[in-house]
Amino acid sequence: MSVLGQSFVQGFIRMCSDGWDLGWHERNGGNLSYRMKEEEVWAVEDELKTDKPWQPIGTTVPSLAGEFFLVTGSGKYMRNVQLDPEANISIIELDGKGENFRIRWGMRDGGRPTSELPSHLMNLEVKKIATNGACRVVYHAHCTNTIALTFVLPLDSKVFTRELWECATECPVVFPQGIGVVPWMVPGGRDIAVATSELMKEFDVAVWAHHGIFCAGPDFDTTFGLMHTVEKSAEILVKVLSMAPRKLQTIRPDEFRALAKDFKVSLPEKFLFEKPF
Ligand code: 13P
Ligand code: ZN
């Protein structure tokens, strides 16, 4: 079957369109990566080319050496992925040291993988190790409400986690480990990739102040659903903060503890501190 006929490629394309539909991908904003399974590489082997040069990743990911990834292109628009996948996304291969990559399929009219490739690969590496290989998807989106909150909330993982947990009862069940926050940093390089992947050892979500969100997960549905849940909760908080200077009532620490018991999740006590509404 062709590359485009593969279900992982179709799932990837659908996710790009869904993010565009929700308004998270102005211009070329946001990017997506998927760590391919061995059998998925075999299935498309006939279509993979070897004429493109090896290029430095910009960081080192030894635990991903020799693996293949489907990634969006730098400067490419999420809204165009569905219309012309071959021009906007690519399959890349990493070398035996995890230092260089080469394009094996896609980017038909030229170009290179997303400028956030160091962050995607370092996050995928940390998550591969932390989940025994289960994590395969890393997604970066420019979600409006979450970005807005980075201007008014302290850039502190405890505050962001607690505020977003309070705004939608499902949040502590969907992201029980909480969410990390990266202060503003220059995007596209190794430094922000190191800072984000450090947080990804603990969390599945990292907010980039005044920029966007990175989410990681085992498949497209879980990862997209995680991004959507975080952003929905942020939207509720933006509305609450716009309506009144303080909440009249909210979910309290003991209520989170009761929820954790019934839903069989463990919520770190560091997020269940006493505070006024
Ligand atoms: P790319 O077009 O290189 O993927 O960059 C978009 C972006 O969101 C950078 O953070
Ligand atoms: Zn971005």
Side-chain angles (χ1 to χ4, degrees), residues 195-216:
T196 311
S197 60
E198 202 49 48
L199 290 173
M200 283 290 185
K201 289 179 183 164
E202 180 177 355
F203 308 109
D204 291 335
V205 187
V207 172
W208 279 7
H210 324 321
H211 184 145
I213 309 178
F214 263 83
C215 281

Side-chain angles (χ1 to χ4, degrees), residues 51-68:
D51 59 334
K52 297 286 190 313
W54 290 101
Q55 301 176 61
I57 294 167
T59 190
T60 311
V61 282
S63 298
L64 301 180
E67 293 206 61
F68 287 70

Side-chain angles (χ1 to χ4, degrees), residues 23-260:
W24 301 341
H25 299 299
E26 76 291 341
R27 204 172 182 277
N28 63 309
N31 23 73
L32 177 62
S33 63
Y34 172 74
R35 185 168 61 84
M36 288 167 65
K37 298 175 182 162
E38 231 175 311
E39 62 269 27
E40 291 168 336
V41 179
W42 296 334
V44 299
E45 224 165 20
D46 290 350
E47 287 197 50
L48 300 183
K49 310 239 174 10
T50 52
D51 59 334
K52 297 286 190 313
W54 290 101
Q55 301 176 61
I57 294 167
T59 190
T60 311
V61 282
S63 298
L64 301 180
E67 293 206 61
F68 287 70
F69 301 82
L70 186 57
V71 294
T72 50
S74 186
K76 302 298 182 187
Y77 293 25
M78 288 291 200
R79 63 189 280 262
N80 290 336
V81 170
Q82 187 174 32
L83 297 176
D84 192 355
E86 215 172 331
N88 292 289
I89 64 179
S90 64
I91 292 175
I92 60 167
E93 175 190 11
L94 302 198
D95 69 6
K97 288 187 168 167
E99 286 176 358
N100 299 287
F101 73 88
R102 62 175 172 172
I103 295 172
R104 300 291 308 268
W105 175 91
M107 302 305 287
R108 188 194 57 230
D109 308 326
R112 49 168 292 133
T114 172
S115 59
E116 304 295 0
L117 192 63
S119 282
H120 279 265
L121 293 178
M122 289 193 84
N123 290 337
L124 282 165
E125 181 179 51
V126 158
K127 282 298 181 192
K128 179 187 173 186
I129 294 165
T131 63
N132 241 329
C135 181
R136 296 195 171 273
V137 181
V138 166
Y139 182 33
H140 170 55
H142 293 178
C143 301
T144 315
N145 295 284
T146 306
I147 296 169
L149 289 178
T150 66
F151 293 89
V152 298
L153 291 184
L155 298 176
D156 175 344
S157 140
K158 288 197 189 67
V159 175
F160 264 79
T161 298
R162 179 63 176 276
E163 291 299 323
L164 294 183
W165 277 4
E166 283 184 29
C167 281
T169 296
E170 68 181 314
C171 284
V173 179
V174 175
F175 51 97
Q177 309 93 327
I179 71 179
V181 181
V182 180
W184 188 87
M185 292 178 75
V186 175
R190 186 171 183 275
D191 290 352
I192 198 166
V194 170
T196 311
S197 60
E198 202 49 48
L199 290 173
M200 283 290 185
K201 289 179 183 164
E202 180 177 355
F203 308 109
D204 291 335
V205 187
V207 172
W208 279 7
H210 324 321
H211 184 145
I213 309 178
F214 263 83
C215 281
D219 53 47
F220 298 119
D221 274 355
T222 311
T223 314
F224 190 83
L226 178 57
M227 185 75 81
H228 202 183
T229 305
V230 169
E231 172 60 4
K232 175 77 181 281
S233 192
E235 182 180 351
I236 294 167
L237 184 55
V238 166
K239 288 187 172 159
V240 169
L241 294 172
S242 312
M243 285 188 285
R246 60 183 285 275
K247 302 168 197 161
L248 265 188
Q249 55 274 322
T250 187
I251 308 168
R252 308 301 301 159
D254 275 345
E255 294 171 326
F256 282 122
R257 292 184 186 103
L259 181 80

